[in-house]
Amino acid sequence: MSNTNSNGGSQPAVDHASAIAATEQWLEKAVIGLNLCPFAKAVHVKKQIRYVVSDATTPEELLETLMDELQTLSDTPAEQVDTTLIIHPHVLNDFEDYNEFLDVADAALEDMGLVGELQVASFHPDYQFADTDRNDIGNYTNRSPYPTLHLLREDSVERAVEAFPEAEAIFEKNIETMENLGHEGWDKLFPREQQ
């Protein structure tokens, strides 16, 4: 079985359980294991992360999923679901297309009246910060197994920042962590055949 992605190419379908397992492994080994996000461990341990695998093959279908999940997160108590990861293996595999979609995601937040309540963070297998080389190890802080939209509660982010006195230094610390790890260390965490 294969799907046609937004780039017109055909790729094998990704089963939901495998996509979630790969994402959880990345979360445990990289995000939590390397302490790239000091706030991730608590919601992971409390099982307050909702994993959604979208079969969307067009940006329009993904937008529908995004809006449904934004509403679900808004309507659900934080104690049950604090954050949502929308994993979308079949659409926006090109990082430039994905990056442009983030403006659409922000517009959806605004249209739904959720600005100030929720926000969307971004992870992608080819993530690249502005003004960096594609292979810069610092980009790996945001490199997930599949294109992923991360829905966060503003309240939770604010509480986490208050609890972490040097929150503004996280990005710099992450770059230092990745530089110390290097490509060789990353490849040991995630051997090529798993990527």
Side-chain angles (χ1 to χ4, degrees):
M1 182 176 178
S2 68
N3 285 339
T4 302
N5 64 25
S6 62
N7 304 329
S10 186
Q11 61 188 30
V14 175
D15 81 81
H16 292 204
S18 296
I20 291 171
T23 301
E24 282 187 309
Q25 181 184 47
W26 164 74
L27 181 78
E28 290 168 357
K29 285 183 166 186
V31 179
I32 295 171
L34 298 174
N35 199 28
L36 298 178
C37 176
F39 322 126
K41 186 174 182 178
V43 291
H44 176 64
V45 168
K46 294 177 188 172
K47 301 195 180 311
Q48 294 172 320
I49 302 172
R50 176 174 162 85
Y51 295 90
V52 175
V53 180
S54 173
D55 291 321
T57 58
T58 66
E60 294 76 17
E61 290 173 350
L62 181 60
L63 178 59
E64 285 181 35
T65 302
L66 172 63
M67 292 176 77
D68 288 347
E69 290 303 323
L70 285 167
Q71 194 61 59
T72 297
L73 188 59
S74 178
D75 293 344
T76 305
E79 299 75 41
Q80 290 177 12
V81 178
D82 192 69
T83 191
T84 300
L85 292 172
I86 303 174
I87 306 158
H88 47 96
H90 306 295
V91 65
L92 304 177
N93 285 288
D94 178 86
F95 180 67
E96 293 300 322
D97 293 342
Y98 173 87
N99 208 29
E100 287 177 18
F101 184 82
L102 297 176
D103 290 335
V104 174
D106 287 341
L109 278 169
E110 197 167 322
D111 291 347
M112 296 175 73
L114 296 173
V115 173
E117 181 183 339
L118 302 178
Q119 62 178 260
V120 180
S122 52
F123 298 99
H124 193 280
D126 297 319
Y127 198 95
Q128 183 175 351
F129 289 106
D131 303 320
T132 64
D133 181 76
R134 185 189 180 301
N135 291 318
D136 188 324
I137 192 67
N139 292 320
Y140 285 67
T141 61
N142 285 51
R143 288 200 178 170
S144 54
Y146 300 101
T148 302
L149 297 168
H150 183 191
L151 314 186
L152 297 140
R153 297 176 187 273
E154 293 273 1
D155 285 352
S156 297
V157 172
E158 287 170 18
R159 275 195 311 277
V161 168
E162 284 172 16
F164 192 80
E166 296 174 4
E168 68 283 349
I170 292 172
F171 178 76
E172 290 81 11
K173 182 184 157 301
N174 287 350
I175 299 300
E176 184 181 330
T177 297
M178 295 308 292
E179 287 173 352
N180 289 337
L181 183 68
H183 288 281
E184 189 178 318
W186 183 267
D187 290 345
K188 284 180 183 169
L189 271 181
F190 301 99
R192 293 273 178 216
E193 62 273 6
Q194 291 180 17
Q195 295 181 27

